[in-house]
Amino acid sequence: MSDPEEVLQLRACRTEVEGIKKELDDARTQQAELEAKINGLLAKQREARKKRREAVLAADAAGVPRLRISKEVGMQRSNVYKLFEGDTADES
């Protein structure tokens, strides 16, 4: 005896919902992995900026012209001057 059309419809709906749920779970897993990667990269960026700041201050202390420091480090001069003033919030 074959199942009625309504039962087949119910099975089809269940399969569709379960498929979407699996896709959502996969997407959430990928999202969590990306967020972890982003957080790791942000931590690396903070460390790199800290090293850059120390290098800029050391170069300034050694008498390297500030314009050259700006060019070598790849920062806008205004941001380099802010760094010298102790304001690292606008550092890029």
Side-chain angles (χ1 to χ4, degrees):
M1 177 176 206
S2 66
D3 292 323
E5 181 65 32
E6 292 80 10
V7 172
L8 297 175
Q9 181 80 22
L10 290 172
R11 287 181 188 161
C13 290
R14 175 182 170 186
T15 301
E16 181 181 9
V17 170
E18 287 176 352
I20 293 170
K21 184 177 184 252
K22 183 179 180 340
E23 285 184 57
L24 275 171
D25 289 342
D26 292 345
R28 287 184 178 124
T29 300
Q30 290 175 354
Q31 182 180 20
E33 291 169 357
L34 285 174
E35 287 176 4
K37 182 178 180 178
I38 288 170
N39 290 334
L41 289 171
L42 287 171
K44 285 181 180 181
Q45 184 182 48
R46 282 189 295 275
E47 287 300 314
R49 285 182 172 179
K50 183 179 175 183
K51 288 178 187 177
R52 179 180 67 185
R53 181 179 186 277
E54 292 169 359
V56 166
L57 294 176
D60 186 54
V64 176
R66 290 183 172 184
L67 178 60
R68 179 145 189 215
I69 292 172
S70 171
K71 286 181 180 180
E72 294 295 333
V73 81
M75 291 174 63
Q76 294 179 359
R77 277 190 299 165
S78 60
N79 288 338
V80 171
Y81 288 117
K82 287 177 186 178
L83 189 142
F84 293 134
E85 294 170 5
D87 181 13
T88 59
D90 290 337
E91 207 179 309
S92 57

